[in-house]
Amino acid sequence: SGESMNRLLIVDDSLVMRSRIARLCASGAVGGIEIAGQAANGLEAIEVARRITPDCVTMDLTMPEMDGEACIAELAGLLPEARILVVSALSDKATALRAIKKGAHGFVHKPFSDAQLAAALKELMQ
C-alpha cells in the first residue's frame, strides 16, 4: 500500500548524530519514514538489522568494532533489498566509490544541512 512506512536503521558512533537524524525523520521533513532502530557500530548494526529488517539504513563509515565499509558489505548480503545511505565526514571520491561498490546507494557528507539529508533520504526511498 502507498501508506506503508520505510523502516530506518541509523548507524553512527556519535549519539549526537544519531539523535539529529532521528529528529529530522520524526519532524516529518522526510515523509514515509520511521525510525526502526539505532546502532553505535557495525557489529551492533548487523545484530539490530537481523532483528528489525530495515528498509533503509544511514551508515557512518568511521566507527569502532566494525567500520562502515565492512558493515555495508555484510548488510548488502544479509538484506539485499535494504537501501543504504552513507553519512560520513570522509569526503574523497575513492571512499564514496568503494562504499557504493560494496552496496551503498547514496552518500551525504558531514557536515550536512537538514535539507541536504532530507533530500538524500527522499531520493534513497524512491
Side-chain angles (χ1 to χ4, degrees), residues 57-59 83-87 105-108 117 120-121 124:
V57 182
T58 63
M59 178 69 65
R83 314 276 298 164
I84 301 170
L85 178 68
V86 175
V87 181
H105 302 88
F107 205 99
V108 172
L117 184 66
L121 281 166
L124 188 73

Side-chain angles (χ1 to χ4, degrees), residues 12 19-21 28 35 39-41 53 55 61 71 76 87 91-92 94 100 105 110 116 119 122:
D12 200 300
S19 303
R20 186 177 162 198
I21 296 170
I35 309 305
N41 62 57
T53 58
D55 303 300
L61 290 182
C71 188
V87 181
S91 59
D92 59 295
I100 284 164
H105 302 88
K110 295 176 184 173
Q116 282 171 317
K122 282 180 186 146

Side-chain angles (χ1 to χ4, degrees), residues 35-116:
I35 309 305
Q38 299 189 23
N41 62 57
L43 285 181
E44 198 182 315
I46 300 298
E47 213 173 277
V48 175
R50 280 207 172 96
R51 202 170 64 235
I52 66 171
T53 58
D55 303 300
C56 345
V57 182
T58 63
M59 178 69 65
D60 185 20
L61 290 182
T62 322
M63 297 180 294
E65 304 293 338
M66 177 195 274
D67 69 19
E69 280 190 40
C71 188
I72 289 166
E74 286 271 317
L75 282 178
L78 188 67
L79 300 167
E81 297 297 295
R83 314 276 298 164
I84 301 170
L85 178 68
V86 175
V87 181
S88 176
L90 301 174
S91 59
D92 59 295
K93 281 274 189 294
T95 303
L97 287 172
R98 270 202 315 273
I100 284 164
K101 256 201 200 91
K102 293 206 163 116
H105 302 88
F107 205 99
V108 172
H109 301 311
K110 295 176 184 173
F112 53 83
S113 68
D114 284 357
Q116 282 171 317

